Amino acid sequence: MTNPKCNICGGEDFFTDSGFFYCAECQTQSQDVREEVFEDYFLSQKGAVRTLKKQSHQLSSFSGSEGLTSWEIFNYIFKGLVDEVINLGASYQVKIVSIQLWTTYLYNLEVAFTSSKINRKPKLGLNFKPKDAEIVYGVKRKRIIKNSLIKPNAKKKTTLSSGSDSDCTTTSILSKRASARKAASAKKALVAAEYEKTLSTSEGESYSQDTSYQTLESLVTPSERSDSVKSQRIKLTKQAKAFLLEARENLKKIKKEKNKIEYRRKTLRKQSTNIDNLTLAKIVALLRLALIFCKANIYIGDILRWISEGHLSVNKCIHFIPKDVKIPEETYRVLDPNSITHSGQQITLMNLCAALDIVDFPIPDMPSLAKRYCVELQLPDDFANIIQSWISHTPKQLINIETKFESRTMAYIVILMKMIFSLDGISEYKLSELAESINRCNSLKKDDQHLFVWKNWAQYIECRKAVVSRFHQVTRQSVYKDLPGHNSDLFLEHYEKNIFTDYSEHMKLGSKEEWTNAVKRTLSKLDADKKIINEAIQFPHSLTPLFTYSKFLITEHPTKLSDQSRKILANDFTKTTVNFTHYLNNTIALNDNSIIDIQPQAGMANTFNLENFTDPKEIIEYITVNRKSVRVQLFTESFQNLEKESLKADDEELNLNEFLDIISDDSSDEEHEGDDDIDGTLLGDQEDTPLVHSLSSIKEKSSLPLYETRHCYWFCHKKIESNEDFNIFAANVFPSSFLWLLKECSRVVGVTIKDLYDEVMFLIIICLLRHQIAIKII
DNA sequence: ATTGTTAGAAACCATCCCAT
DNA sequence: ATGGGATGGTTTCTAACAAT
């Protein structure tokens, strides 16, 4: 490689600080160098990495057979993922930002880029892999495992008695596994006397005799004379040392040997999820962080979906690593992709920011995300516009790194849907009828925009799910997870391509491989007789999966769809409008001079006003969710009015509870009035309205009610900790339409309905009430 | 005094290996 | 072969703190 030159002064010497490259001459930070180094770092592994990491060390005479350290393996993977995500539409900038994050992260781990002057060896964390220790410090793996920290007295005894290398007995706190096993057996053999003995010595003046303490402090690796490579001390990171020191103090206080073992086990276990412990999940979090900094319109949900669809090969990340490299089994552990989840990524992301001292970051473009969700859900354009302007009027201080942008954005959509349609299980269907009637009339006039019909839309969404999941395994899994699948072709095809990784080269056995092969054989056999119904269809990657896939199917494979589903999917709801009030105070003149009179009505939401549940305790029993009380409130005023009133009433923030009480009092009167009227008019009208497209049915002066649902907003506020409890609560309390919408929206985002509803509550309480941000609907 | 938030502990899950 | 241990991860509970 040719040495990069500084743009400013042409110097060729660079030093690193905190993962950034600076020209040695003029001290300017260099982006170019960074990039080149990145390429080298990533591409010519052997040379660049080791040079950067431990340039002048004798150990650099590695041969390929030595294997790679875990960092190098993750380096390949990270590089591979970054490339893939760029292919999927992210800007090239992601690569550059990735370098910065990666180097900073490694710097934090004290692995690389720690100093420009001295070439330090990578330090090891608590959960280091024996292979890393071997490569970097020449410590034999066996040796590490043999001399384990967890091992209690049994070990001490033997080492002490063996005498000679009592002070270089080692340790790795790390090989807990083997050691604990030994500890268990040692326990039996060992006995109380032994324990008394050590106790007395350790309580005594000198700890130096206690091997475990020594290990904690000196962390020396054994020198095996027979070794050609001179073994060295293993150096641990600051955090690791601090942890060990603390553990030492705490261990002093613990009397029983059994408890000591337990303590060691527990405290070490905690370290496994530490951000310092590099795992696949953290690589994905780094990738997401890079995307945030690049303002890419790619979010956790997209990454997870792409992973499951195979566009991001996290599931088979082994392919990123050169064929001839043998991966130690311990490293395989941390390559397990199965446990990467949305909430976990969110937490990891926050931890990562904390670890890297990231406090400032660009705010994602939530309006465009909202637009995207609206496209995916095929919501009307004017609906999307309202959402976008609403979001852009939300105060920025409500957003920080902990914000779950995706859920938050979707929460706006849920709330607005609820304001318009009330979603109490009744109003939305009444509105659908009204809309259909109006549409029927308008269809004669060409230019008029059609109204959004809730129930048709719901039908469309359901149909789309069903159709796509016939051909797309991932969709099938996410949508009909609980239903038994009956398309083994689809499953096998997906499995072959995206899930199965051949571990046999790297892993001992086994059992998993045999098992999966057996299942695959069986499945293949099942289908052998049948003729193949669906050839595998390759779907394009997309940020709006269901929308894109359904369009893809319609255009590319129309013959595979039934007429009816084609018809339903042909609907275009984005061109409809939710502007019901447009028709308010208007009458629609029909061709034959008959007239539909639209009468505004009070909202219908009171039908779900929990009259049945006025006493919170009843609810608790009813929904069998225990613990805290349920607070349910009902709104019947528009938010605009709320704002004015509350501003008038008090300059300071109004107590939320009082506020709610006032409102609900006001509400009850109005509602009841409206209720009766509505039922009367509506039923009468409904009977007369045939499904057929017929004007004659609409008599002169017939009237249709228009429900101004936004004047009548309800919500339930309940703090429920666990997902399961929340599901029970939701199933019992929420109207079915609302629950359905919640489920759909949360699926689009990729979170649980509880996560989404938490954000909905946050928006309502914090944004709307406390900050008094009114939304003007329509 | 009561409530809401929060970090951290504990419980739980799935996977794999090894010693028995 | 089999159960127990280690591991990385997720979810739920809890106790301490903060805010009313």
Side-chain angles (χ1 to χ4, degrees):
Chain A
M1 88 189 206
T2 58
N3 282 340
K5 290 185 181 177
C6 173
N7 297 341
I8 313 293
C9 65
E12 292 189 3
D13 292 330
F14 293 91
F15 64 91
T16 63
D17 184 22
S18 305
F20 291 86
F21 283 78
Y22 295 91
C23 172
E25 291 292 321
C26 58
Q27 313 284 312
T28 50
Q29 192 182 334
S30 168
Q31 202 65 248
D32 294 342
V33 175
R34 176 164 289 281
E35 194 167 341
E36 277 190 49
V37 171
F38 182 69
E39 289 296 336
D40 285 329
Y41 195 62
F42 275 150
L43 294 177
S44 49
Q45 217 68 12
K46 283 278 154 17
V49 179
R50 296 200 196 274
T51 323
L52 280 172
K53 263 201 300 208
K54 36 198 181 236
Q55 244 159 9
S56 63
H57 271 281
Q58 308 312 318
L59 291 170
S60 53
S61 58
F62 290 125
S63 64
S65 63
E66 285 256 11
L68 297 176
T69 63
S70 56
W71 311 294
E72 287 165 317
I73 287 170
F74 280 118
N75 207 13
Y76 278 114
I77 294 171
F78 193 31
K79 147 97 164 106
L81 290 180
V82 168
D83 285 344
E84 279 186 343
V85 88
I86 288 171
N87 277 336
L88 290 170
S91 75
Y92 187 77
Q93 198 195 359
V94 172
K95 193 157 196 162
I96 293 156
V97 174
S98 297
I99 312 163
Q100 294 182 344
L101 289 173
W102 181 235
T103 51
T104 312
Y105 182 69
L106 290 182
Y107 167 80
N108 262 31
L109 292 188
E110 301 182 61
V111 168
F113 309 108
T114 47
S115 164
S116 54
K117 307 220 167 66
I118 314 161
N119 286 287
R120 296 194 185 121
K121 289 190 175 191
K123 292 185 177 175
L124 301 180
L126 284 168
N127 300 54
F128 71 84
K129 307 285 167 273
K131 185 75 177 173
D132 294 346
E134 185 182 332
I135 293 176
V136 179
Y137 293 104
V139 180
K140 283 295 175 216
R141 191 180 157 191
K142 272 183 192 166
R143 199 63 187 158
I144 294 173
I145 291 177
K146 217 194 303 180
N147 302 292
S148 123
L149 180 69
I150 286 195
K151 189 177 328 182
N153 299 338
K155 172 63 191 186
K156 280 174 207 161
K157 185 68 179 182
T158 55
T159 25
L160 284 177
S161 59
S162 73
S164 64
D165 44 355
S166 69
D167 68 333
C168 56
T169 20
T170 7
T171 201
S172 98
I173 202 153
L174 219 252
S175 29
K176 323 142 209 177
R177 173 164 29 135
S179 51
R181 220 172 285 128
K182 276 178 191 155
S185 62
K187 226 176 357 181
K188 292 175 202 156
L190 250 198
V191 234
E194 201 77 51
Y195 144 70
E196 293 285 353
K197 203 163 155 192
T198 13
L199 193 66
S200 58
T201 56
S202 55
E203 294 286 320
E205 59 298 336
S206 162
Y207 294 125
S208 65
Q209 292 304 305
D210 187 327
T211 313
S212 75
Y213 292 158
Q214 215 155 52
T215 346
L216 287 167
E217 273 191 320
S218 53
L219 300 159
V220 190
T221 63
S223 48
E224 295 193 11
R225 308 288 171 244
S226 57
D227 268 357
S228 54
V229 181
K230 190 168 188 277
S231 61
Q232 309 172 32
R233 287 181 154 208
I234 290 180
K235 284 187 182 161
L236 293 193
T237 59
K238 289 192 202 89
Q239 292 95 327
K241 282 183 199 161
F243 170 81
L244 288 177
L245 286 176
E246 191 194 334
R248 189 183 101 175
E249 290 304 310
N250 289 336
L251 273 174
K252 279 188 207 166
K253 297 174 197 151
I254 299 172
K255 296 280 187 290
K256 288 190 180 172
E257 193 54 40
K258 189 180 164 192
N259 293 347
K260 286 196 180 194
I261 298 172
E262 195 56 29
Y263 174 81
R264 288 186 175 110
R265 192 176 291 149
K266 264 191 211 158
T267 49
L268 280 173
R269 193 151 152 46
K270 272 189 286 185
Q271 293 299 311
S272 66
T273 46
N274 195 315
I275 196 73
D276 294 338
N277 189 23
L278 185 52
T279 61
L280 194 54
K282 278 134 203 168
I283 290 289
V284 175
L286 273 171
L287 179 64
R288 164 75 183 123
L289 194 55
L291 289 170
I292 289 180
F293 274 105
C294 297
K295 297 187 176 189
N297 196 12
I298 297 172
Y299 297 80
I300 300 176
D302 305 313
I303 293 177
L304 292 181
R305 196 179 61 251
W306 282 342
I307 287 174
S308 59
E309 288 174 355
H311 293 118
L312 280 178
S313 16
V314 168
N315 283 331
K316 35 176 190 174
C317 56
I318 203 75
H319 297 324
F320 289 132
I321 296 152
K323 290 281 179 295
D324 52 339
V325 175
K326 185 164 164 41
I327 298 168
E329 176 253 323
E330 288 84 2
T331 311
Y332 250 116
R333 280 280 153 66
V334 291
L335 293 184
D336 176 24
N338 290 326
S339 43
I340 297 178
T341 64
H342 204 287
S343 61
Q345 280 291 299
Q346 184 73 38
I347 293 168
T348 311
L349 195 63
M350 280 150 49
N351 290 339
L352 203 53
C353 288
L356 301 184
D357 274 340
I358 294 169
V359 286
D360 216 13
F361 66 100
I363 295 168
D365 186 359
M366 285 168 68
S368 84
L369 180 61
K371 176 68 184 173
R372 192 175 107 195
Y373 286 153
C374 288
V375 170
E376 166 71 356
L377 288 169
Q378 284 291 287
L379 292 170
D381 289 338
D382 61 350
F383 184 94
N385 292 338
I386 297 170
I387 294 280
Q388 285 182 294
S389 77
W390 183 14
I391 291 177
S392 53
H393 284 95
T394 306
K396 292 284 181 285
Q397 66 262 29
L398 293 176
I399 297 175
N400 56 38
I401 193 65
E402 296 184 11
T403 307
K404 297 159 186 164
F405 301 106
E406 300 163 87
S407 310
R408 176 74 59 84
T409 306
M410 193 55 99
Y412 285 97
I413 293 176
V414 171
I415 292 173
L416 187 54
M417 279 301 258
K418 193 137 131 330
M419 285 179 167
I420 294 174
F421 294 102
S422 185
L423 301 182
D424 50 19
I426 295 176
S427 299
E428 64 274 15
Y429 290 103
K430 304 289 190 195
L431 273 175
S432 296
E433 285 162 14
L434 170 68
E436 278 187 318
S437 300
I438 293 175
N439 287 345
R440 228 174 283 142
C441 300
N442 279 347
S443 61
L444 297 177
K445 302 188 268 173
K446 287 189 178 164
D447 293 335
D448 252 312
Q449 205 174 13
H450 279 205
L451 281 170
F452 180 83
V453 182
W454 161 273
K455 65 179 185 184
N456 290 355
W457 176 73
Q459 180 192 40
Y460 168 85
I461 295 289
E462 285 296 327
C463 174
R464 196 175 66 174
K465 285 196 303 191
V467 167
V468 172
S469 65
R470 270 182 65 208
F471 305 98
H472 193 242
Q473 177 65 19
V474 174
T475 302
R476 179 191 215 89
Q477 278 167 352
S478 76
V479 172
Y480 301 118
K481 199 178 170 190
D482 297 330
L483 294 182
H486 39 51
N487 190 337
S488 46
D489 278 337
L490 211 52
F491 173 78
L492 277 175
E493 198 266 340
H494 173 72
Y495 189 81
E496 283 291 346
K497 213 174 270 164
N498 296 324
I499 295 178
F500 185 69
T501 309
D502 186 14
Y503 290 98
S504 56
E505 278 180 43
H506 304 276
M507 279 188 148
K508 292 271 163 80
L509 152 27
S511 59
K512 176 179 178 177
E513 191 188 7
E514 286 173 21
W515 188 84
T516 47
N517 280 335
V519 172
K520 274 162 64 186
R521 272 197 307 276
T522 313
L523 283 175
S524 310
K525 220 172 174 183
L526 275 177
D527 266 355
D529 311 334
K530 294 191 227 161
K531 64 176 179 184
I532 294 173
I533 303 164
N534 303 313
E535 291 157 33
I537 297 175
Q538 293 308 314
F539 288 88
H541 71 267
S542 171
L543 290 172
T544 53
L546 279 178
F547 171 68
T548 306
Y549 299 159
S550 60
K551 283 280 174 287
F552 180 76
L553 281 174
I554 290 169
T555 52
E556 301 291 323
H557 305 275
T559 53
K560 297 190 176 183
L561 308 185
S562 71
D563 289 344
Q564 192 169 6
S565 51
R566 264 210 306 279
K567 196 176 154 200
I568 292 175
L569 292 181
N571 279 311
D572 184 0
F573 291 93
T574 59
K575 294 290 173 282
T576 61
T577 177
V578 288
N579 189 355
F580 285 86
T581 52
H582 174 65
Y583 297 91
L584 190 57
N585 300 326
N586 283 332
T587 52
I588 298 173
L590 302 174
N591 290 358
D592 59 355
N593 294 328
S594 59
I595 280 172
I596 296 183
D597 187 15
I598 301 194
Q599 298 178 338
Q601 306 282 342
M604 288 283 289
N606 54 326
T607 50
F608 178 71
N609 87 357
L610 305 170
E611 276 173 337
N612 312 328
F613 314 118
T614 36
D615 183 5
K617 279 164 195 154
E618 275 182 41
I619 296 182
I620 294 171
E621 285 171 18
Y622 176 65
I623 60 177
T624 67
V625 177
N626 30 18
R627 297 197 291 268
K628 294 169 189 172
S629 63
V630 180
R631 181 140 46 95
V632 182
Q633 294 294 346
L634 179 69
F635 288 98
T636 52
E637 294 287 335
S638 70
F639 282 98
Q640 293 98 314
N641 292 341
L642 282 186
E643 182 190 328
K644 282 176 204 154
E645 280 178 21
S646 58
L647 281 174
K648 263 185 247 162
D650 200 335
D651 276 341
E652 297 176 13
E653 284 183 3
L654 204 55
N655 178 308
L656 187 59
N657 286 328
E658 293 173 10
F659 195 37
L660 297 183
D661 286 343
I662 296 167
I663 294 155
S664 53
D665 281 345
D666 287 349
S667 69
S668 49
D669 306 314
E670 297 176 8
E671 285 155 21
H672 292 299
E673 295 168 13
D675 212 8
D676 296 343
D677 293 350
I678 288 163
D679 277 357
T681 46
L682 205 109
L683 281 178
D685 192 77
Q686 198 174 10
E687 287 164 9
D688 292 350
T689 310
L691 294 172
V692 193
H693 199 60
S694 154
L695 285 178
S696 62
S697 66
I698 301 172
K699 300 295 181 197
E700 209 172 333
K701 294 196 177 169
S702 65
S703 70
L704 288 170
L706 171 67
Y707 305 101
E708 298 186 75
T709 47
R710 71 186 190 285
H711 289 291
C712 189
Y713 191 82
W714 61 270
F715 73 83
C716 300
H717 180 195
K718 174 145 171 54
K719 184 77 178 172
I720 297 176
E721 300 295 337
S722 83
N723 273 314
E724 203 174 328
D725 287 352
F726 184 82
N727 287 339
I728 295 171
F729 169 79
N732 282 294
V733 171
F734 288 159
S736 59
S737 296
F738 181 62
L739 184 57
W740 178 82
L741 183 73
L742 266 190
K743 280 181 180 165
E744 284 308 308
C745 290
S746 61
R747 194 180 44 69
V748 170
V749 176
V751 298
T752 63
I753 58 172
K754 179 177 178 297
D755 287 343
L756 180 56
Y757 197 70
D758 283 348
E759 289 296 326
V760 169
M761 292 316 306
F762 174 86
L763 271 188
I764 290 175
I765 291 174
I766 305 297
C767 290
L768 299 185
L769 297 179
R770 205 161 289 172
H771 288 259
Q772 300 175 344
I773 303 155
I775 337 165
K776 190 160 185 250
I777 310 180
I778 299 166

